[in-house]
Amino acid sequence: MELSDLKNTIESISKQWMLISAIDKSGKANAMTASWGGVGELWGKDVVFIFIRPQRYTKEFVDQAENVSISFFDDSYRAMYNYMGSKSGRDVDKIQNQNLHFEVIDEAPVFKEAEHTIIAKKLYVQEMKPECFLDESQIEKWYKLKDFHYMYIAQIIKTI
């Protein structure tokens, strides 16, 4: 892998963003925009790691689901990303309001409009804790409300 390939992956997540999506026990889907996460290898598996704040409605879906999807859209979907990151699925049907269409593959929503999607099986979840920060300045910068993210590690089972 070239350094440029690694930078492309990082920029896809941090600059172009992604949708984290899951289906709850009733079969309803929800999604949120995210720009923190990554791809790597852990425990002999190809994995993704994502971060979700406790107040996000999508967290309830991710917690109920065995599999999640991480979807990437082209630049023409910037307004959709902004909407999906600023509205709550508790209040509106974000997927319908953005005219997105999905099918369920391996128990995860896969958007037909996405350029590519990763379907991953959850392996691990842990709340980030203030006492674990080695650089405490990050707490003041990112967690003024003390709403520490939950980190999820999930094994990549399919890419579409």
Side-chain angles (χ1 to χ4, degrees):
M1 174 187 279
E2 301 279 329
L3 182 57
S4 61
D5 294 331
L6 182 57
K7 288 203 175 286
N8 287 339
T9 301
I10 292 168
E11 285 190 14
S12 289
I13 294 169
S14 66
K15 302 279 189 285
Q16 296 174 320
W17 304 344
M18 60 187 168
L19 281 188
I20 299 171
S21 310
I23 296 175
D24 70 7
K25 300 243 185 264
S26 74
K28 180 181 175 186
N30 196 51
M32 63 175 260
T33 300
S35 63
W36 288 9
V39 178
E41 193 273 338
L42 183 65
W43 305 317
K45 301 173 186 319
D46 294 332
V47 298
V48 294
F49 54 96
I50 56 175
F51 298 86
I52 303 176
R53 289 193 192 264
Q55 64 267 38
R56 295 299 301 256
Y57 186 51
T58 303
K59 183 182 181 307
E60 296 176 26
F61 288 72
V62 170
D63 287 343
Q64 290 181 40
E66 182 174 340
N67 295 341
V68 298
S69 63
I70 294 119
S71 302
F72 299 88
F73 296 76
D74 68 38
D75 288 338
S76 69
Y77 285 88
R78 180 58 58 189
M80 177 274 298
Y81 277 132
N82 286 326
Y83 180 86
M84 299 295 276
S86 65
K87 303 294 181 193
S88 173
R90 286 185 184 96
D91 305 321
V92 295
D93 185 337
K94 298 190 297 183
I95 294 170
Q96 181 180 346
N97 288 354
Q98 289 301 294
N99 201 28
L100 295 174
H101 306 89
F102 69 89
E103 61 182 311
V104 177
I105 299 176
D106 292 321
E107 302 175 23
V110 175
F111 294 97
K112 296 178 181 179
E113 296 83 3
E115 281 190 315
H116 63 276
T117 299
I118 297 169
I119 299 175
K121 178 181 179 179
K122 292 184 316 183
L123 299 174
Y124 181 84
V125 61
Q126 182 173 348
E127 182 180 15
M128 297 175 76
K129 298 178 181 180
E131 63 269 18
C132 295
F133 281 81
L134 302 178
D135 177 356
E136 293 179 7
S137 70
Q138 300 305 313
I139 296 172
E140 182 59 31
K141 182 176 183 178
W142 299 106
Y143 298 103
K144 288 181 176 28
L145 300 177
K146 306 300 184 223
D147 56 342
F148 295 96
H149 284 90
Y150 282 75
M151 177 185 65
Y152 296 82
I153 300 171
Q155 179 182 1
I156 298 169
I157 58 173
K158 186 178 285 183
T159 59
I160 300 170

